[in-house]
Amino acid sequence: MNVRRSAAVLAAVAVIGAATPAAADPSPSPSQAFPSALYGDKDPKFDGVWRQSLALLAQDTVGVKPAAKSVQWLVRQQCADGSFASYRPDPTTACDAKTLLDTNATSAAVQALTALGGHDDVTRKAVGWLKAVQNKDGGWGYSPGGASDTNSTSIVIGALAAAGEKPDQVEKDGKSPYDALLKLALPCGGDGDGAFAFQPDKKGELAANADATAAGVLGALGTGMVVEPGKKSDATCEKAATPRQAAANGAGYLTAALAKDGDHLMSALAGAEPQPDFGNTADAVVALAAQGDTAQAEKSVRWLEKNSAPWAAQSGPAAYAQLILAAHATGTNPRDFGGADLVKQLGATGPAPQTAGKTTSGASDEKDSGSDFFGVWWYVGVCLVAGIGIGFLFTGRKKQQQL
């Protein structure tokens, strides 16, 4: 999920990264105040709507009714045209040409608000905006007008499906989102062996990307972030003439990649030692479960149970949400995930829910001003760790802070 955003954010770096200072402390100063309705205590500038949406979606998935003010905070983030930015510190100020609109955040908000119910006007406007910014090849980029990528196209497909649309009928110049995905699917054989690429490189060539593949499998299946265990699949890698075959091919690639490194994915920056990629592993679990390749999904979720706790504690609400969604996809109890109660841990990062079940939270329930500001340095950390553990896209923000 949040993992899904890593590649998309890297693409955005080319546009705005040059203006980013070279050093920073990602932790907020004591004087900084964040909205009390917001989940997480890290700078929300680039992932506020994303992590809020994942937190609300994960809570709804396990039967927890989130705090009303947290839902209202997300609703108020919407721009008048239906889009969502990554974060609006003052939602009373109208969006303008300088507002960095975000297809991934918009799609995540649609999925969360549709699941919660009662926000049809909000989701209808958001879907209308997504349709309006669809690219001519049928896909979407991270920012409206940006080149289509697997992660962004896939999470938009999930939003369309959640809102009751038929993604194959959402077309631009006769091209649907599935047309865009099939162009980003690698052929069988070779290093790619059925994987999805994020985007073509400057030479138009495709390179396998596990992050994009996890997103692409869900997109090709026409599903969002919340999935049930699918029927067992014995599909082998064949020419991807249909979205379903592309999903099967991508799942096969993920299965091999997970098994290769001990049931989890690895990620490393240039010159750095390889590190376990918790976020992308969680996304891969969801993708494999949706496809029906449950044997590897269950092995990998067991690995996450044993190893993901420090990462989730450091990364925050979106990480807990990813793990909850991976647990749900495999029929694992998120309230006893390697001995940890993920639902309780997620709840503790934000306002106490209306119906907590077994979830407790020590978060304040004070009135949210909706206009809190934050530091600007956290984005540097995003660029440094974007390949290590965070998604749809994606899925995307700083992995040790947003998931």
Side-chain angles (χ1 to χ4, degrees):
M1 337 260 116
N2 235 21
V3 175
R4 205 160 291 173
R5 296 177 68 75
S6 59
V9 168
L10 283 175
V13 170
V15 179
I16 59 177
T20 305
D25 180 359
S27 301
S29 67
S31 62
Q32 287 177 311
F34 298 107
S36 63
L38 180 67
Y39 283 84
D41 59 2
K42 301 297 191 298
D43 190 331
K45 185 173 184 179
F46 291 98
D47 81 328
V49 168
W50 176 266
R51 77 191 192 208
Q52 190 83 348
S53 298
L54 263 65
L56 299 179
L57 184 61
Q59 287 187 321
D60 178 80
T61 300
V62 296
V64 172
K65 189 174 182 179
K69 74 173 187 176
S70 290
V71 179
Q72 185 60 23
W73 181 89
L74 180 59
V75 169
R76 292 181 67 214
Q77 287 288 301
Q78 188 175 42
C79 297
D81 63 0
S83 64
F84 283 76
S86 302
Y87 175 68
R88 296 172 60 200
D90 182 5
T92 64
T93 300
C95 300
D96 57 25
K98 296 181 180 180
T99 304
L100 299 178
L101 304 180
D102 181 340
T103 63
N104 290 221
T106 301
S107 298
V110 168
Q111 293 192 46
L113 294 173
T114 299
L116 292 169
H119 303 282
D120 290 351
D121 289 344
V122 175
T123 57
R124 188 180 303 112
K125 287 179 63 178
V127 168
W129 179 79
L130 289 169
K131 290 181 178 181
V133 299
Q134 185 177 17
N135 291 333
K136 291 182 178 181
D137 62 4
W140 285 267
Y142 179 82
S143 300
S148 296
D149 66 75
T150 295
N151 300 55
S152 300
T153 300
S154 296
I155 194 170
V156 173
I157 289 174
L160 294 172
E165 299 280 344
K166 295 182 178 180
D168 63 330
Q169 296 180 10
V170 177
E171 297 183 339
K172 184 70 172 288
D173 289 354
K175 300 292 185 180
S176 80
Y178 295 127
D179 291 312
L181 284 184
L182 289 177
K183 286 187 176 181
L184 292 165
L186 278 74
C188 299
D191 293 336
D193 202 21
F196 284 88
F198 172 64
Q199 285 177 332
D201 63 19
K202 293 181 179 179
K203 295 181 180 180
E205 297 179 355
L206 303 178
N209 183 298
D211 177 3
T213 302
V217 169
L218 291 183
L221 291 173
T223 188
M225 302 184 213
V226 180
V227 307
E228 304 293 336
K231 296 181 179 180
K232 180 175 173 54
S233 171
D234 295 317
T236 58
C237 195
E238 299 177 1
K239 182 178 179 180
T242 66
R244 186 76 201 194
Q245 185 61 51
N249 293 350
Y253 174 86
L254 290 175
T255 296
L258 288 164
K260 176 183 177 182
D261 289 308
D263 299 325
H264 64 281
L265 297 174
M266 297 291 291
S267 181
L269 298 173
E273 291 295 322
Q275 299 182 47
D277 192 332
F278 300 95
N280 277 335
T281 298
D283 277 2
V285 166
V286 175
L288 290 180
Q291 171 60 21
D293 294 348
T294 55
Q296 183 59 59
E298 290 170 359
K299 291 179 182 178
S300 294
V301 86
R302 299 287 88 81
W303 181 87
L304 287 169
E305 283 189 290
K306 294 178 181 178
N307 298 284
S308 64
W311 165 76
Q314 182 180 15
S315 301
Y320 288 123
Q322 277 186 270
L323 294 175
I324 289 171
L325 296 177
H328 175 78
T330 55
T332 303
N333 184 3
R335 291 184 169 87
D336 185 13
F337 195 80
D341 187 339
L342 297 176
V343 182
K344 179 179 179 180
Q345 291 173 327
L346 172 59
T349 68
Q354 296 181 59
T355 55
K358 296 182 180 180
T359 305
T360 59
S361 173
S364 170
D365 195 37
E366 63 189 77
K367 185 176 181 180
D368 179 12
S369 68
S371 60
D372 302 312
F373 286 84
F374 43 82
V376 299
W377 307 111
W378 172 82
Y379 188 48
V380 174
V382 178
C383 303
L384 294 176
V385 300
I388 308 174
I390 177 176
F392 189 149
L393 220 143
F394 295 188
T395 270
R397 307 307 187 191
K398 180 177 178 184
K399 302 201 165 129
Q400 284 77 12
Q401 293 184 352
Q402 69 183 12
L403 295 185

